[in-house]
């Protein structure tokens, strides 16, 4: 059984660092990205590459360079992301 995992997307290094520390203290393995990427884990696939979600929660900044948070979440849904929408948060 893997450790709980959180994925964070925010182009502000301070916010990303604070979220990483906060979630790590609560027992999460944190993957943090400063640049929006539709799927950093299975990015070379046209669809999600597994039957299980790659994370337990996801926190996405709305305003990022190149792609906003809503666009990124829609692109994930089109690729059949397994993380349920209720475990994704959009922040700004």
């Amino acid at each position: 059984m893997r450790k709980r995992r959180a994925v964070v997307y925010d182009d502000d290094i301070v916010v990303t660092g604070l979220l990483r520390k906060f979630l790590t203290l609560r027992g999460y393995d944190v993957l943090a990205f400063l640049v929006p990427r539709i799927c950093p884990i299975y990015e070379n696939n046209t669809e999600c590459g597994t039957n299980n979600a790659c994370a337990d929660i996801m926190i996405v900044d709305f305003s990022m360079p190149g792609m906003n948070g809503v666009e990124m979440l829609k692109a994930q849904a089109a690729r059949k992301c397994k993380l349920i929408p209720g475990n994704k948060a959009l922040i700004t």
Side-chain angles (χ1 to χ4, degrees):
M1 187 168 166
R2 72 168 168 77
K3 189 175 181 179
R4 294 184 306 168
R5 182 182 292 160
V7 179
V8 175
Y9 297 91
D10 198 311
D11 60 319
D12 185 325
I13 196 164
V14 173
V15 172
T16 303
L18 288 171
L19 287 170
R20 178 190 297 275
K21 184 169 185 155
F22 176 83
L23 293 165
T24 300
L25 289 172
R26 277 143 188 84
Y28 284 90
D29 178 25
V30 181
L31 301 175
F33 302 94
L34 298 172
V35 183
R37 295 166 67 187
I38 295 169
C39 182
I41 299 165
Y42 303 110
E43 69 184 325
N44 295 326
N45 298 326
T46 57
E47 285 189 6
C48 182
T50 181
N51 291 328
N52 301 311
C54 60
D56 299 291
I57 62 171
M58 183 178 294
I59 300 172
V60 180
D61 183 23
F62 175 78
S63 181
M64 295 183 287
M67 177 188 319
N68 72 42
V70 173
E71 293 168 336
M72 191 180 86
L73 293 173
K74 285 181 179 180
Q76 286 179 343
R79 287 185 170 197
K80 299 182 177 23
C81 177
K82 303 298 187 290
L83 181 57
I84 61 171
N87 287 2
K88 296 180 181 184
L90 188 64
I91 63 172
T92 189

